[in-house]
Amino acid sequence: MTAPTTAGVLLSRLRDHGVEYVFGIVGREAEAILFDEVDGIEFVLTRHEFSAGVMADVLARITNRPQACFATLGPGATNLSTGVATAALDRSAVIALAAQTESYDRFPNHTHQCVDTVGVMRPLTKFAEELARPRDVVDLIDSAVSAATVEPPGPSFLSLPVDLLGAPIGPQAPPPVDHVAGLGTVDPHWRRQLAVVADLFAGAEHPVLVVGSAAIRAGAVDVLRSFARRTGTPVITTYTAKGVLPTDDPLCYGAVSGYMDGILDFPALDALFGPVDLIIALGYDYAEDLRPSMWQRGRDKRVVRVSAAVNPVPRVLRPDVDVVVDPATFLTGLDRATAGVAARTPHDISPLRARVAELLADRTDHADGMRVHQVIDTMNEVLPREGTFVSDIGYFRHYGVLFANSSRPYGFLTSAGCSSFGYGLPAALAAQLARPGEPVVLLAGDGGFHSNSADLETAARLNLPVVMVVVNNSGNGLIELYQHKGHGRAHRPATGFSTVDFVQLAQANGVEGVLATDRDSLRTALRKGFELRRPFLVEVPIGYDFAAGDFSALAV
Ligand code: TP9
Ligand code: MG
């Protein structure tokens, strides 16, 4: 039997930590690693390293385990860096790996394809090191996984010199993997703080729970649902925590976006937060873009921040009570401590709900294309309750935050923190890998989708039956909105594209596609897409009314 190489030990250690897939593109280090060295871990070839990073991010998020991505040296690693940044700002336990020039020939910016990738990745990651001796590989993987999984989770990076990757390693008996990730700093005073928060809650007239994704990661969804219903406490979420209460639950007050007043042409933030006198920010994370300035309106409020990590943004948030403990433990404690508190009547947001319903029911025909709220209403009609709604980044995404139905944690997936456009397609593919047999629909704009559309071929090759809806206004619409906001007009050379035929683009990559121009043709196309069990693309021409609406909440 041949001795295992560093590559084999690396892969088996990753597998032992629960990693199921390595997404990426292999370069000349293929002479040292084939990716079939061990069973139980699969390599998925993508068309771009950014896609590989996003796929690892989304799979890690849904499976609650670390997942890996891989790039070759130099340009492969720098391409991967945007996926790594996405995992950093969106808090995902991604183990990013890249090959490096042979250890004896490592002269960054001189040797062929050699750049200092640890230097590139260090500010984007929680841990970044280069392998110096083959026998260190298990320790390095263990450190990378520990750093990546401790709250708040994020990416780790390992640089792998090609000669060391292919080197034989003597027989190894690594210690067993401990799957339990740490919880970061736990403040031992949290039990005393719990009594304070229970008193604040008992004395409040209109408390709300403002929920971030850390509450999902902590496993707080069940206790959150029962606590909210028992006490009559409304739940407001960030983009990415949408679904912790189903959209149609009377206590689901929706997800917040800084664009909502403008899109709805309605003072939505005032309606949501004006009457509130206590905010319990459960699993709060500033990166999810629900900013304290959005809730600072109307009545004076007490604010409680609950997070397993210490407060990193005191300049914008100084809560009245800052509880450093995992959100599930805290809410379970609060549930018990408030058992005697009677259920309240939540504050009334019926005018806001009526405005949302009015837009969803909009049947107006527009010569310049459907409006995005009409597109999403039609998607809601067809997507089954357990389905996953993935959104790329663009103006349409903020309509998705407001209008898309979501009934489960991570039922709505988008990049809130990094907002890297082009995220949507690989995110949807990874969601489908994580949830085989369940419907996954993608909403993407022409700008973001075509910035990373090469992975249409990956969808076809892996036969991942995602239904993709590309809303096409031949331009970077969101940026046009900002041009209007700043200058009162658009400058198309900086935002406008020529026409792309997305149906033909899909077909060229082995994906069936159709054009839909109204609600009826879109509904028919979506139904067909969900029955097909193969990837399917629907292109929908859309129009935006940028000049309308109040976007002052964006000036934060
Ligand atoms: N480059 C990256 C990688 N990410 C982002 N977010 C930008 C640039 C800046 N954002 S959101 C956007 C840009 C250019 C335009 C999106 O255009 P679209 O056609 O995908 O969507 P829409 O509906 O706004 O036109
Ligand atoms: Mg566009």
Side-chain angles (χ1 to χ4, degrees):
M1 203 179 93
T2 50
T5 61
T6 308
V9 175
L10 170 102
L11 292 171
S12 59
R13 193 64 176 175
L14 285 172
R15 181 204 50 204
D16 294 350
H17 277 289
V19 173
E20 298 154 285
Y21 288 95
V22 182
F23 302 94
I25 301 180
V26 189
R28 72 174 174 83
E29 68 285 357
E31 67 178 283
I33 184 164
L34 260 181
F35 289 98
D36 71 349
E37 284 82 349
V38 299
D39 293 333
I41 190 161
E42 266 184 59
F43 191 87
V44 171
L45 176 64
T46 60
R47 287 270 172 177
H48 196 288
E49 293 84 354
F50 165 54
S51 290
V54 170
M55 290 185 78
D57 169 328
V58 170
L59 196 69
R61 181 179 312 280
I62 297 179
T63 58
N64 210 13
R65 292 161 170 217
Q67 302 292 346
C69 52
F70 183 91
T72 194
L73 42 160
T78 54
N79 269 358
L80 186 67
S81 64
T82 308
V84 172
T86 305
L89 273 146
D90 287 309
R91 318 294 190 223
S92 228
V94 166
I95 310 301
L97 310 164
Q100 180 55 290
T101 316
E102 284 74 1
S103 54
Y104 48 82
D105 192 27
R106 193 184 177 292
F107 302 105
N109 299 353
H110 295 283
T111 311
H112 175 70
Q113 285 196 322
C114 181
V115 296
D116 173 9
T117 49
V118 170
V120 170
M121 297 290 191
R122 188 157 276 151
L124 305 174
T125 52
K126 297 177 75 184
F127 176 90
E129 289 297 338
E130 187 158 285
L131 181 70
R133 299 178 303 181
R135 65 172 188 267
D136 294 342
V137 69
V138 166
D139 295 336
L140 272 187
I141 293 282
D142 289 358
S143 297
V145 170
S146 294
T149 50
V150 163
E151 275 289 325
S156 287
F157 174 71
L158 288 183
S159 167
L160 304 163
V162 177
D163 54 324
L164 306 185
L165 190 59
I169 284 192
Q172 285 226 343
V177 161
D178 176 3
H179 272 286
V180 184
L183 282 174
T185 322
V186 177
D187 185 333
H189 302 305
W190 76 270
R191 283 182 196 283
R192 259 176 281 151
Q193 291 174 304
L194 180 66
V196 175
V197 179
D199 280 350
L200 284 176
F201 185 78
E205 189 187 4
H206 288 309
V208 294
L209 284 163
V210 169
V211 180
S213 301
I216 302 176
R217 293 196 297 268
V221 173
D222 288 346
V223 63
L224 182 141
R225 289 181 175 187
S226 61
F227 174 82
R229 288 169 185 152
R230 180 179 66 74
T231 58
T233 307
V235 173
I236 296 172
T237 73
T238 60
Y239 310 166
T240 44
K242 213 172 138 67
V244 293
L245 269 194
T247 313
D248 55 7
D249 190 299
L251 289 167
C252 175
Y253 275 31
V256 168
S257 153
Y259 299 78
M260 67 195 304
D261 286 17
I263 287 174
L264 297 172
D265 200 14
F266 186 90
L269 292 168
D270 285 347
L272 283 177
F273 292 113
V276 169
D277 56 351
L278 175 65
I279 288 190
I280 300 180
L282 190 75
Y284 183 75
D285 188 342
Y286 189 60
E288 291 175 33
D289 215 21
L290 198 168
R291 296 165 186 241
S293 55
M294 294 174 187
W295 72 53
Q296 282 154 359
R297 50 198 72 225
R299 281 175 86 168
D300 277 349
K301 308 178 197 330
R302 309 301 291 274
V303 176
V304 177
R305 191 194 79 108
V306 185
S307 168
V310 292
N311 181 12
V313 290
R315 191 159 58 78
V316 290
L317 175 61
R318 286 217 184 255
D320 297 288
V321 187
D322 194 359
V323 192
V324 182
V325 70
D326 91 89
T329 304
F330 175 81
L331 199 58
T332 307
L334 187 65
D335 197 26
R336 282 197 205 113
T338 57
V341 177
R344 292 181 187 76
T345 307
H347 64 288
D348 179 25
I349 58 161
S350 50
L352 168 60
R353 287 208 160 111
R355 178 61 184 150
V356 170
E358 182 188 3
L359 282 169
L360 284 173
D362 178 9
R363 295 288 188 278
T364 319
D365 281 327
H366 296 274
D368 60 342
M370 290 179 76
R371 295 302 182 257
V372 178
H373 52 269
Q374 300 176 315
V375 173
I376 295 176
D377 186 53
T378 314
M379 292 168 76
N380 282 342
E381 258 181 63
V382 182
L383 182 69
R385 211 175 154 74
E386 75 282 6
T388 303
F389 192 114
V390 182
S391 176
D392 202 354
I393 320 306
Y395 189 27
F396 62 88
R397 188 263 293 269
H398 298 280
Y399 288 72
V401 170
L402 300 182
F403 297 114
N405 285 345
S406 177
S407 299
R408 66 196 288 188
Y410 302 137
F412 182 83
L413 289 164
T414 189
S415 167
C418 203
S419 286
S420 335
F421 85 167
Y423 163 96
L425 174 57
L429 299 183
Q432 190 73 79
L433 269 179
R435 294 174 168 165
E438 295 180 26
V440 174
V441 68
L442 166 68
L443 180 64
D446 57 300
F449 188 82
H450 205 21
S451 76
N452 198 27
S453 55
D455 276 296
L456 272 169
E457 184 278 328
T458 308
R461 177 165 31 91
L462 302 181
N463 194 24
L464 292 168
V466 171
V467 176
M468 308 165 224
V469 177
V470 179
V471 285
N472 189 358
N473 67 334
S474 297
N476 288 336
L478 185 65
I479 314 310
E480 251 183 72
L481 173 98
Y482 280 96
Q483 290 176 335
H484 277 278
K485 189 167 179 285
H487 311 274
R489 64 188 174 86
H491 178 57
R492 286 288 285 179
T495 54
F497 296 115
S498 59
T499 314
V500 172
D501 185 331
F502 284 92
V503 173
Q504 281 192 33
L505 180 74
Q507 288 164 354
N509 284 277
V511 171
E512 201 174 318
V514 294
L515 185 73
T517 51
D518 56 25
R519 279 178 178 265
D520 288 342
S521 56
L522 176 57
R523 191 181 306 105
T524 307
L526 290 171
R527 290 209 169 114
K528 175 178 172 181
F530 283 124
E531 279 161 18
L532 205 57
R533 308 313 297 153
R534 288 199 303 276
F536 187 69
L537 183 146
V538 189
E539 176 185 348
V540 185
I542 50 142
Y544 282 132
D545 309 298
F546 295 116
D550 170 14
F551 293 95
S552 53
L554 295 176
V556 283

